Amino acid sequence: MEVPESRTWMYNRVGPNRVGITEEFLNGVEYFIVYACQNSSEFHSTGTIRCPCVRCKCTKYRGLDDIRMHLYQKGFQPIYHCWTSHGEEMPNIPHEATVYVQTDTANYYWQSSNRDSFNPYEQMVMDAAGPSVGQELLQEDNYNQQFVSEPPNPEAQRFFDMLTAAQAPLWDGCESHSELSATMRLLSIKADYNMSQGCFDDVVHLMKETMPADNRMPATFYEAKKSISRLGLGNQRINCCTNGGMIYYKDDANLTHCKFCEADRYKPRRSGRGNFKEILVKRMWYLPLIPRLQRLFSSTVTAKEMRWHYEHQQEADIMCHPSDGEA
């Protein structure tokens, strides 16, 4: 569904050659503010409305002058020509089996230099997804709504779920934290202070009790860890010799003793009846290198640093960096 003709001004903020703000946009902003004040219940009680700029994305309440400045400086958030957060109803979609795909946010991030327009947790999600997801999602380069007749693939759906968590406030009206940012901060605190899992569960349970009923705080450590697992890079657990002699991998995966020191791979079984599960003596955590290199190249910030040794200009017959040498 394309942007209605009456709302095209929202994404025509600057004139030709990006010089000055257009008169059409200035008049449109005033029309938007008048409409929002008339239809937003928050304005009558607090004098504030949700800010629809690129950075705030309707998650923060601000005064009218602040909203004007944000819109003049940053413009409207992508694909917000239907003002649903300011009292306007979403138009009926003609086809029932349609799924809304926010392709233009990805385009705006990966195809331009507007990374700073996203909050740090949105940047984290974008970088974790990488441009490969963007190539599957992008259909147009302007700010439109794109409807497709089938749901996004699992990889794209995980991207949307994480992006939603990065944008959704912890509860309606919360301006300081999103669902993702609160989860990340809690897990960071747990790691910094060596907090036990039971202590973590009790803390988040108390926090949920003291927050509004519709809060999005994870209820347990398991839920918190699972919610951000899609952001992290995986690891492999490999059985190894207790003396460090070898790892039980590939051709050696079925051995029960170290082939060098004869150390047992499993702890001795206790006498008794019934089925027993083998208990490993020792294992190691392996961090695969290739996915980590791919992550460095997928981030808009680190990719240019990864290419520096190849792209930087060097003077003839002068070695100012080891990469300038033939070796």
Side-chain angles (χ1 to χ4, degrees):
M1 185 174 68
E2 296 184 354
V3 178
E5 185 66 27
S6 60
R7 299 280 171 87
T8 56
W9 59 267
M10 294 177 62
Y11 304 108
N12 295 325
R13 182 169 60 94
V14 294
N17 300 321
R18 304 188 67 83
V19 177
I21 300 177
T22 63
E23 189 70 23
E24 179 187 31
F25 184 82
L26 294 173
N27 294 333
V29 168
E30 295 303 317
Y31 168 73
F32 163 79
I33 289 179
V34 171
Y35 180 92
C37 292
Q38 292 175 348
N39 294 276
S40 298
S41 58
E42 297 89 353
F43 178 75
H44 300 292
S45 58
T46 65
T48 61
I49 59 176
R50 293 179 182 269
C51 180
C53 76
V54 167
R55 184 178 293 275
C56 297
K57 292 185 175 65
C58 293
T59 61
K60 298 182 178 180
Y61 290 85
R62 300 191 184 278
L64 302 186
D65 290 339
D66 289 338
I67 289 178
R68 287 189 180 92
M69 291 304 300
H70 279 214
L71 293 177
Y72 294 161
Q73 294 173 357
K74 306 176 179 66
F76 283 87
Q77 71 180 69
I79 45 179
Y80 188 62
H81 56 267
C82 185
W83 301 335
T84 53
S85 295
H86 297 85
E88 188 173 25
E89 295 184 358
M90 176 69 73
N92 293 328
I93 301 174
H95 302 289
E96 294 183 0
T98 56
V99 177
Y100 174 67
V101 178
Q102 189 176 349
T103 61
D104 299 294
T105 299
N107 184 42
Y108 183 76
Y109 181 84
W110 278 307
Q111 302 297 330
S112 65
S113 58
N114 292 294
R115 174 186 170 89
D116 291 339
S117 298
F118 294 80
N119 69 51
Y121 295 94
E122 290 173 319
Q123 295 176 13
M124 183 188 304
V125 174
M126 296 287 193
D127 289 341
S132 60
V133 173
Q135 295 303 321
E136 298 174 3
L137 304 178
L138 300 181
Q139 302 295 331
E140 299 177 357
D141 291 331
N142 55 359
Y143 292 133
N144 295 337
Q145 279 186 336
Q146 181 73 18
F147 291 89
V148 294
S149 58
E150 59 184 28
N153 60 55
E155 187 69 22
Q157 187 59 56
R158 286 193 292 269
F159 166 76
F160 286 132
D161 292 342
M162 293 303 300
L163 193 58
T164 299
Q167 296 172 344
L170 194 55
W171 66 83
D172 291 341
C174 177
E175 299 184 4
S176 58
H177 281 288
S178 66
E179 178 184 351
L180 181 61
S181 69
T183 303
M184 295 291 294
R185 287 287 300 277
L186 280 170
L187 291 174
S188 177
I189 292 172
K190 180 185 184 303
D192 290 342
Y193 296 96
N194 197 24
M195 185 189 300
S196 68
Q197 181 173 330
C199 179
F200 185 95
D201 291 346
D202 288 343
V203 168
V204 295
H205 183 69
L206 175 61
M207 294 177 69
K208 284 186 71 69
E209 289 181 345
T210 57
M211 291 180 183
D214 59 349
N215 70 82
R216 300 175 179 85
M217 176 69 69
T220 63
F221 172 70
Y222 174 79
E223 289 185 12
K225 192 174 179 180
K226 184 178 179 180
S227 68
I228 67 165
S229 61
R230 293 181 292 270
L231 284 177
L233 293 166
N235 62 78
Q236 298 178 18
R237 291 182 291 182
I238 303 176
N239 302 346
C240 61
C241 171
T242 185
N243 298 319
M246 62 169 290
I247 61 174
Y248 298 96
Y249 188 64
K250 291 188 176 179
D251 295 339
D252 299 327
N254 296 322
L255 296 179
T256 58
H257 296 82
C258 176
K259 61 184 180 182
F260 298 105
C261 67
E262 298 296 331
D264 290 333
R265 177 179 180 178
Y266 302 103
K267 294 182 179 180
R269 293 183 178 180
R270 293 183 179 181
S271 60
R273 296 181 180 179
N275 296 326
F276 291 90
K277 182 179 179 180
E278 299 284 5
I279 301 176
L280 293 168
V281 175
K282 190 176 184 180
R283 64 173 52 175
M284 60 170 283
W285 274 257
Y286 171 65
L287 307 179
L289 178 61
I290 292 178
R292 283 157 176 79
L293 291 175
Q294 291 173 337
R295 177 68 63 85
L296 290 172
F297 278 103
S298 68
S299 170
T300 58
V301 174
T302 55
K304 61 183 180 180
E305 305 296 340
M306 296 296 291
R307 298 191 307 265
W308 183 87
H309 294 84
Y310 178 80
E311 295 178 348
H312 85 284
Q313 299 294 323
Q314 63 186 63
E315 300 181 27
D317 301 326
I318 296 178
M319 183 173 177
C320 59
H321 188 276
S323 64
D324 296 338
E326 294 182 0

